[in-house]
Amino acid sequence: MASVPVPRLTPPPRTMLRDTVYESIKQMLMDHDLAPGARLSIDGIARQLQVSPTPVREAMTKLESDGLVAKRPHAGYVVASLLDEASLANLYEMRVLLEPPAAGLAAMRATDEQIAEMRALVVTMTAHPAGENYEQYRDFAVRDAQLHRLIAEASGNPLIADALSRLHAHTHSYRLYFKVGIAEETTQEHQQIVEAIAAHNSEAAPEAMFRHLSASNERLQAVYAQE
C-alpha cells in the first residue's frame, strides 16, 4: 500500500517536541485529512515536520493507545477506521452500564474539592464553546473528557474509572463528527449532572447521566442518517 502524503502540517517548535508532534498528527487525524486505512509513513511525517523519526514514533505509540491509529503487519501504522453504527451503539451501551452508576456513587462520595472542580470545568466549557475544526474544538473536547473522568474517579471505584478510560469514548465520538452543534446542549446536560452530584442526590445524578448519554448517542447516530 502506497504512503499517503501528509497535508497541512508545519514544523513544530523545538520545545515540548514530543507533545507538539503528537498534537500535530492528532489534529490531522481528527480533521479527517487522511482517510481511514491510509498508511502513515513515519519517515514521511518526520520530513514534513522537519523532525527526527523518534518523536514521530513516540507519537504513533500514543495515538495507537488512543485508538486513532493501528499497527498492521508488514504495513506499519495506518489510520484507524471510524466507528460504524453498530460499534457506536456498542460503545454507548457500555457507557450506559458504567457511567450512570458512577454518577450515583459520585453523588454519595464526591468531596467538596471534586465538586468544585466539576463546576469549574462546566464553567470553562460554557466560556469556550466549540469551533468548526478540531483545533478550535480541542479545548471543549478535552474538558468534556476531563469531566466524565472526574465523575468516574469521584465514584470511588478505580475499576470503573479505569474501564472508562480504556474506552476512549470521547476520542471516538469527536473523531466521528464534532460539528453537530452539540456544545450548548452538552454543557446544559453536564450542569444537570454536576448539580445532582453536588446535591448528593444519588437518584437524580444517574438519571441525568443517562439522559446525557442517550442524547449524545442520538446526536451522533443522526450523522449516519444524514450521510
Side-chain angles (χ1 to χ4, degrees), residues 11-14 17 21 43 45-56:
R14 296 298 174 181
L17 183 60
V21 169
D43 291 337
I45 292 173
R47 286 193 297 270
Q48 289 284 334
L49 294 176
Q50 299 180 21
V51 299
S52 73
T54 299
V56 178

Side-chain angles (χ1 to χ4, degrees), residues 100-109 196-208:
L105 291 171
M108 294 186 286
R109 300 172 179 173
I197 292 172
H200 302 290
N201 191 328
S202 59
E203 294 183 359
E207 290 173 358

Side-chain angles (χ1 to χ4, degrees), residues 60-72:
M60 288 297 178
T61 299
K62 188 173 181 181
L63 291 163
E64 184 179 19
S65 72
D66 291 341
L68 287 172
V69 304
K71 201 169 188 179
R72 297 284 183 260

Side-chain angles (χ1 to χ4, degrees), residues 116-126 143 146-147 150:
E117 187 175 353
M118 292 177 200
R119 282 174 162 161
L121 280 171
V122 172
V123 169
T124 57
M125 291 171 72
T126 304
R143 291 183 177 99
Q146 285 177 336
L147 179 61
L150 183 58

Side-chain angles (χ1 to χ4, degrees), residues 22 85 131 205 221:
Y22 165 78
E85 286 187 80
Q221 288 287 354

